[in-house]
Amino acid sequence: MSDSNTTAFTNPSTFILLGIPGLEVAHVWISIPFCTMYVIAILGNFAILFIVKKESSLHEPMYYFLCMLAVTDLVLVTSTLPKILAIFWFNSREIDFSACLAQMFFIHGFTQIASGIFMAMAFDRYVAICHPLRHSTILTNSLVMKIGLVIVLRGSILALPYPILARQWPYCKTNIIAHTQCENLGVVKLACADTRVSNYYGIFVLSCRYGVDVSFITLSYIQILRAIFGLPTKEARLKTFGTCGSHICVILAFYIPTLFSSLSARLGDNLPRHFYVLFADLYVLVPPMMNPIIYGLRTKQIRDRFLQLFNPKGTKVFSSGCGSETEHRGVLSGDMALFPESLTGQSKKG
């Protein structure tokens, strides 16, 4: 099929992904950091899954949510980065129409799933900090499974209309997508029909993510910060805030680029195309790379277990003589075990 066609066709056989318009000569150089981040994301998220599976003391709600996030990140980068690298390295620009729609579903579906997981993790931290003595009774394994199922179903249901609507439109302008991936707006712009329903639906999904998920996360962390600033000593406040601060950074690293990418696709017609495409690529690559580093290596239990893999003859970090950390593990979730006893004392008074 030719790159341009003036005759309407409902289902083109292939689309052509241009890559990063205007930066074609730099594709090979751009592929180096992209490939590096992809490898880190793959190895880091698989390491999280392996460590949590092997270490029974990590079979707690926080780490279950972390495993859900790791699987989500793996699916998100694997559905996009191999094709992007194929464009950069081998100039392999063609993508089958059905494969393009499948990629569209995975991008939007698992972005929505990741947003739901961040919301669940914020709830886990709220319960662990504000109601530590009730954490194990509130967030039971069955409730965690139900929350995970709802998150996956919600993300899948919200993403499904994207490829369904895209398949209905007639395409008569061109089959060239000025992008590295089959993002919804990039595909729908090629249709020669009134696609306002797709645009309105995209705004609805965006409002769900930022109106519901971000609002819930914000409310949770407002309560968390109130509890932190209510601690009696500066050392306790710094230790607790240091743990939550890294989590807030990851959340911001996820929501800010996705919001910018979505808004610039709809409103940023004056932005250079390569700037928008690069930003869209980074929002599906940077969070999956950062999540295992910040959520994993900054969490003491996972960090110690990870180091033990490289030093098996060293001291075991999950021994029965862990002192106060072991005593608190049944009360607080994951790295919340690092919080001082004064927080538990506040909960008793409450």
Side-chain angles (χ1 to χ4, degrees):
M1 188 181 78
S2 63
D3 288 353
S4 181
N5 196 344
T6 57
T7 303
F9 47 89
T10 302
N11 294 330
S13 58
T14 60
F15 281 121
I16 307 296
L17 294 169
L18 284 185
I20 304 178
L23 297 179
E24 289 86 354
V25 295
H27 275 177
V28 174
W29 296 107
I30 296 172
S31 71
I32 296 175
F34 273 48
C35 184
T36 302
M37 289 188 285
Y38 179 46
V39 171
I40 294 173
I42 293 293
L43 295 180
N45 284 291
F46 270 120
I48 293 291
L49 294 173
F50 176 80
I51 290 172
V52 174
K53 182 178 185 300
K54 288 293 184 181
E55 186 54 59
S56 59
S57 63
L58 300 181
H59 294 176
E60 298 176 351
M62 172 188 169
Y63 300 104
Y64 292 147
F65 290 133
L66 186 57
C67 286
M68 294 178 199
L69 184 62
V71 172
T72 301
D73 288 341
L74 286 170
V75 174
L76 191 58
V77 296
T78 304
S79 64
T80 54
L81 261 295
K83 183 60 182 178
I84 293 174
L85 294 177
I87 295 171
F88 290 167
W89 289 342
F90 310 113
N91 202 31
S92 176
R93 300 167 183 259
E94 287 194 4
I95 183 170
D96 184 78
F97 180 70
S98 297
C100 186
L101 296 185
Q103 188 185 71
M104 182 191 301
F105 172 79
F106 283 120
I107 291 171
H108 294 283
F110 281 86
T111 299
Q112 196 68 38
I113 289 171
S115 179
I117 294 172
F118 282 125
M119 184 168 57
M121 295 177 84
F123 176 66
D124 172 72
R125 276 156 181 74
Y126 162 75
V127 176
I129 294 176
C130 299
H131 305 283
L133 298 178
R134 299 172 55 197
H135 183 270
S136 59
T137 57
I138 294 175
L139 276 171
T140 61
N141 288 342
S142 62
L143 180 60
V144 170
M145 291 179 62
K146 291 175 183 176
I147 291 174
L149 182 61
V150 170
I151 290 172
V152 173
L153 288 176
R154 188 192 72 152
S156 301
I157 292 171
L158 287 175
L160 194 58
Y162 284 120
I164 291 177
L165 290 171
R167 183 177 287 276
Q168 305 305 314
W169 308 127
Y171 296 88
C172 62
K173 296 178 181 179
T174 180
N175 67 332
I176 299 176
I177 302 175
H179 211 305
T180 56
Q181 53 187 285
C182 291
E183 205 174 37
N184 178 61
L185 284 177
V187 174
V188 170
K189 285 180 178 179
L190 305 182
C192 52
D194 186 355
T195 60
R196 282 181 295 180
V197 62
S198 282
N199 295 328
Y200 292 152
Y201 183 74
I203 294 172
F204 165 73
V205 172
L206 198 64
S207 64
C208 286
R209 187 184 307 159
Y210 290 93
V212 178
D213 296 10
V214 173
S215 296
F216 185 89
I217 292 171
T218 301
L219 289 174
S220 297
Y221 274 98
I222 287 174
Q223 296 300 317
I224 289 171
L225 292 174
R226 287 180 60 187
I228 290 174
F229 290 121
L231 293 176
T233 66
K234 182 179 180 181
E235 181 183 357
R237 289 194 294 269
L238 289 176
K239 184 182 292 186
T240 309
F241 185 77
T243 303
C244 291
S246 60
H247 304 152
I248 294 173
C249 289
V250 172
I251 291 172
L252 293 176
F254 172 79
Y255 283 107
I256 292 177
T258 55
L259 178 62
F260 178 85
S261 179
S262 299
L263 292 179
S264 61
R266 292 174 169 84
L267 307 174
D269 292 334
N270 295 326
L271 288 175
R273 185 66 187 177
H274 64 267
F275 183 80
Y276 160 67
V277 173
L278 274 172
F279 223 92
D281 288 340
L282 289 177
Y283 95 72
V284 299
L285 181 57
V286 172
M289 179 195 67
M290 290 181 59
N291 292 340
I293 295 174
I294 296 181
Y295 277 120
L297 296 183
R298 284 185 62 91
T299 302
K300 184 178 186 300
Q301 289 88 336
I302 292 182
R303 182 179 66 248
D304 290 347
R305 186 67 178 87
F306 181 79
L307 294 176
Q308 190 181 357
L309 294 176
F310 297 94
N311 185 24
K313 295 182 181 180
T315 304
K316 291 185 177 180
V317 295
F318 292 104
S319 61
S320 58
C322 287
S324 61
E325 184 179 334
T326 303
E327 293 172 4
H328 286 292
R329 187 175 293 135
V331 177
L332 303 182
S333 173
D335 56 353
M336 297 304 154
L338 301 175
F339 292 164
E341 292 182 0
S342 59
L343 190 60
T344 306
Q346 280 190 347
S347 178
K348 289 178 181 178
K349 293 177 183 178

